Amino acid sequence: MSLRQMEYLVAVVEEESFTRAAEGLNVTQSALSHQIKALEREVGGALLERRTRGIGLTPMGRAFLPHAELAVRSAQQARRAAKAAAGAAGGELHIASLHALAVGVLPPVFARWRTAFPAVRLHLHEYSTTEELRDHMERGVADIAVGPRPDGWPGPVVSLGDEEITLITSAGDPLAGRTDPVPLSELADRDWVRCALEPVIHGQRWLDWVCAQGGFTPRTAVWTEHSSTAVRMAVAGVGLVTAPVHMARGVPGAVVVPVDRPWRREQTAFSRVELTGAAAGFVDLCRELAFPGGARA
């Protein structure tokens, strides 16, 4: 089987149509169908089936597709990496990250990159959860991921530094004028704005776990889907919120309150292959601009 055949299969699945896939690949529909049939003969069975609405995968096709996607994307990455390493025009670097990091700490990195490596274009893929981030990296969607340390990741993982998690409230909150760190026990009677994307630690949502250390269960005022929304709810006076400190930057009226035990979470860059050339340069910029406190020892 050839890489081209796998590329054709992935295109048909993505488009759910032989016609649209052929147009996107700039080949005739008959040539596309011929290559798909040749691939099916080689694997020993049908990979695609025609349905009332478009094209679907057979059970054999569902088993085959992830490997075909990885092969196609790995080839694309190889071409991009070669050009990017040489600083050649047309080179691309695909970055995957969590949405909260993408809007919080990556913009300065991307801005500096445009000055340092103008010929190498960056492409950002954003995900809501660490599970989505890891899944798409395993499928070869991006060259580098920026996010919390992935457990058992088989490729290189580089520590970028610690992200500070802070307490955020409104300017009218009694805590807004505090300069001394606030003990967690003082927050037992407060309302909280929660985010559905809270990480899970030791089988508990992060805020539940933190508050348990202070001897209480947090009283939830509202649930949100995204941390950026949760911060704005807190600034409006709905309740307290815990979020990365960079989420408060640029939000009018946001007040960061110090806590007696600072909360931190390690952030990393990880990849399926060794970080060299442009990829290594991007990681260096993340260390310098996104997490200037430095990597862990």
Side-chain angles (χ1 to χ4, degrees):
M1 69 186 68
S2 69
L3 180 64
R4 175 175 294 180
Q5 289 171 336
M6 289 187 279
E7 182 181 7
Y8 286 2
L9 175 71
V10 170
V12 171
V13 173
E14 289 179 345
E15 295 291 346
E16 297 184 342
S17 164
F18 276 86
T19 302
R20 290 193 296 270
E23 292 173 351
L25 293 166
N26 197 28
V27 299
T28 65
Q29 187 171 335
S30 60
L32 175 63
S33 298
H34 176 76
Q35 291 296 328
I36 295 294
K37 289 178 181 178
L39 177 61
E40 290 178 325
R41 285 195 299 271
E42 184 155 355
V43 300
L47 300 173
L48 299 172
E49 60 181 0
R50 295 186 181 276
R51 298 174 178 171
T52 305
R53 297 181 180 178
I55 303 297
L57 288 164
T58 65
M60 183 178 285
R62 287 193 294 272
F64 184 84
L65 181 64
H67 303 283
E69 287 180 327
L70 187 56
V72 170
R73 286 168 177 158
S74 292
Q76 293 170 343
Q77 286 180 356
R79 288 191 290 267
R80 294 197 307 263
K83 290 183 177 181
E92 288 187 359
L93 200 60
H94 284 237
I95 311 299
S97 189
L98 299 176
H99 174 73
L101 293 174
V103 301
V105 300
L106 289 185
V109 178
F110 276 53
R112 178 74 67 84
W113 181 271
R114 295 301 305 147
T115 300
F117 303 95
V120 180
R121 184 172 58 188
L122 294 179
H123 189 116
L124 178 64
H125 304 262
E126 299 177 62
Y127 301 100
S128 297
T129 67
T130 54
E131 291 79 11
E132 285 183 319
L133 177 63
R134 179 178 181 127
D135 176 63
H136 283 75
M137 278 301 293
E138 289 176 339
R139 290 164 53 190
V141 170
D143 303 296
I144 306 170
V146 177
R149 180 175 292 273
D151 293 335
W153 182 255
V157 180
V158 179
S159 180
L160 300 176
D162 284 344
E163 175 185 53
E164 182 182 355
I165 309 297
T166 189
L167 187 67
I168 302 172
T169 188
S170 65
D173 192 286
L175 293 175
R178 290 283 291 266
T179 56
D180 57 312
V182 177
L184 195 59
S185 58
E186 288 189 20
L187 306 176
D189 295 327
R190 298 299 305 270
D191 289 333
W192 296 82
V193 180
R194 307 288 295 275
C195 177
L197 303 181
E198 269 182 42
V200 174
I201 297 179
H202 306 307
Q204 292 180 287
R205 288 185 178 274
W206 185 80
L207 185 63
D208 293 327
W209 180 83
V210 166
C211 292
Q213 313 310 303
F216 67 95
T217 299
R219 188 171 62 204
T220 302
V222 64
W223 280 98
T224 67
E225 291 294 325
H226 298 286
S227 52
S228 55
T229 305
V231 169
R232 283 160 176 77
M233 288 285 183
V235 171
V238 176
L240 303 175
V241 71
T242 58
V245 67
H246 57 74
M247 297 299 296
R249 297 173 189 150
V251 179
V255 176
V256 174
V257 180
V259 291
D260 62 350
R261 294 183 182 180
W263 303 312
R264 299 184 181 278
R265 180 167 65 167
E266 183 188 24
Q267 297 295 339
T268 67
F270 56 99
S271 176
R272 294 172 50 245
V273 298
E274 182 182 356
L275 295 167
T276 60
F282 183 84
V283 172
D284 288 341
L285 283 182
C286 284
R287 279 174 160 167
E288 177 187 349
L289 300 175
F291 305 99
R296 293 186 180 185

